[in-house]
Amino acid sequence: MQSIRLKTSSTAEERARPGPGRDLGPLLAGAATAVGAAGALLALTDSDSTLRGPSALFFLLAAPAAAIALALRGLDPFARALTALAGAVALDMLVAQGMLATHRWSWRGGIVAVSVISLLLLLLVRMRPVERMIERIRKIRSRQ
């Protein structure tokens, strides 16, 4: 059995890259967020825009993938991206299957369900450090 080696956080020297492409990551993340939010908004308002379909599909893949990728911080970037994308597709299919099984299929409901599940997953991942701090405080109090 092979164990997965987690990468440690990079130092400030490794993160500070000289050159014109150093701020490209946050710029692309912001653009992806804008496209995803526009896709969800266009789909929920039933707009007649030609960008509604591709933008909504991007949202349905990007929202859960971002939440899953945040949960997999320690993995290699390529493995994290691939796993997050596969998890997003699986989550979308599970939402669709659940809606079909309960005879409650609607495209608006699917977008709302994927949004809520992605937000809950994101909140759970963000709450993890708070839970660790509370656990440490309890351990310290029990020692006293």
Side-chain angles (χ1 to χ4, degrees):
M1 194 170 194
Q2 182 179 359
S3 62
I4 298 174
R5 194 179 96 215
L6 299 177
K7 291 187 173 188
T8 59
S9 62
S10 60
T11 63
E13 295 172 3
E14 292 174 352
R15 281 185 268 144
R17 295 175 291 165
R22 69 172 179 244
D23 292 333
L24 194 59
L27 179 68
L28 290 176
T33 303
V35 169
L41 190 64
L42 287 172
L44 290 175
T45 58
D46 201 20
S47 173
D48 288 334
S49 174
T50 58
L51 295 176
R52 181 181 70 177
S55 299
L57 180 62
F58 179 77
F59 172 76
L60 288 172
L61 288 175
I68 293 170
L70 189 63
L72 301 174
R73 283 184 283 215
L75 287 180
D76 165 65
F78 179 71
R80 183 169 59 179
L82 189 64
T83 306
L85 187 62
V89 170
L91 179 74
D92 290 341
M93 288 191 299
L94 284 171
V95 166
Q97 181 67 31
M99 291 175 76
L100 287 171
T102 59
H103 302 287
R104 300 286 183 200
W105 172 254
S106 77
W107 51 270
R108 279 192 181 133
I111 290 175
V112 170
V114 169
S115 301
V116 168
I117 292 171
S118 298
L119 248 162
L120 287 175
L121 183 59
L122 197 66
L123 287 175
L124 285 173
V125 170
R126 299 304 286 172
M127 291 295 291
R128 198 174 358 177
V130 174
E131 290 173 356
R132 289 180 187 157
M133 287 180 7
I134 292 171
E135 186 177 320
R136 287 179 191 160
I137 291 171
R138 286 183 184 159
K139 285 182 181 178
I140 291 171
R141 286 185 181 172
S142 67
R143 290 181 196 163
Q144 294 177 353

